[in-house]
Amino acid sequence: MGKMEITSGSVHEKIKGIQLMDFQYWADYLHHAERNVQDVEPITDSEKNLSMYDGYEIQSKVIDHRLKDGETIIGVKAGLTSVAKQQAMGVNEPVYGFITDRMVIQSGEKTDLSRFIHPRVEPEIVFTLSNDLSGANVTKDDVLESTESICCGLEIIDSRYRNFRFTLADVVADNTSASAFVLGEKMVMPDFDLALAGCLLEVDGEVVATATGAAILDHPANAVALLAKWLHNQGKSLKKGWTILSGGLTNAFPLNQNTTIEGKFAHLGSVSIHA
Ligand code: OOG
Ligand code: MG
């Protein structure tokens, strides 16, 4: 179920008794929510059987909307790669989404909150590769060999779903809550184990969460390897020069007006966002 597409106006259609889902309808629903800064109920409130497959089909149409609006894909993100994030969101599997040029926030610039519904910020370790990478068996070491630079980052996630209430398939359809991000200074891979890279997340100067790189699937390069495998299954690859987010190391914290959130990392420097 779910393999056939229907682009007519109705949410459902029944063909020979098989109920098919209208992926385009749900992509329009989520895109409209994003563009109008308006939260919505999760798709699974209406479509109880929404599968991961359906979620990625809807996500791909959500991305098509962004491309039609003139945005460019500049990278990819792994999400829910840490136990901290999975527990916070009540799910148990990593997922992926795409990031576009519209999501870039310059370091140091004051963030305009009017484009977000209920933004939350999480610290990330971010990779840039020196060559395209794809394959069914890509390993952490393959990723590290292909890594041109790394940096720390903060991602702003902004689920289109009310109160961040969603299932795994819902959050996949919603392009894994992707909304914005800011990067620290890029550096060539330093000579140390990224699994040991400590990270503090501070809200207005107070430490609210800590982790090390190992929080991300034992090593953040494992998340990049997973992305390379997922994209391989779609006949795609991680692209040279893309911004690749490996996933929040800690739970995410709300970004409110007059708040500064800073990620401080061992070896990777620090990065902040203020609104
Ligand atoms: C989904 C996005 C997860 C991460 O790094 O874990 C994510 C969410 O928590 O809304 O970006
Ligand atoms: Mg993230």
Side-chain angles (χ1 to χ4, degrees), residues 44 100 124 146 167 187 190 271:
T44 47
T100 72
E124 302 252 352
S146 298
T167 67
M187 56 181 74
V271 58

Side-chain angles (χ1 to χ4, degrees), residues 70-145:
E71 293 175 46
T72 311
I73 291 175
I74 57 162
V76 64
K77 58 170 280 190
L80 308 170
T81 47
S82 66
V83 171
K85 285 284 315 187
Q86 290 185 4
Q87 283 182 347
M89 308 324 286
V91 298
N92 55 10
E93 259 181 73
V95 291
Y96 70 90
F98 289 91
I99 55 182
T100 72
D101 54 346
R102 188 170 184 265
M103 300 180 187
V104 177
I105 290 181
Q106 297 304 330
S107 163
E109 119 191 344
K110 193 169 160 72
T111 305
D112 174 13
L113 292 183
S114 66
R115 60 182 267 214
F116 303 108
I117 300 166
H118 43 198
R120 295 181 184 176
V121 175
E122 58 194 19
E124 302 252 352
I125 294 176
V126 183
F127 290 71
T128 308
L129 304 184
S130 50
N131 49 266
D132 292 2
L133 189 63
S134 181
N137 302 308
V138 173
T139 64
K140 168 185 123 186
D141 288 339
D142 296 334
V143 169
L144 293 174
E145 263 171 45

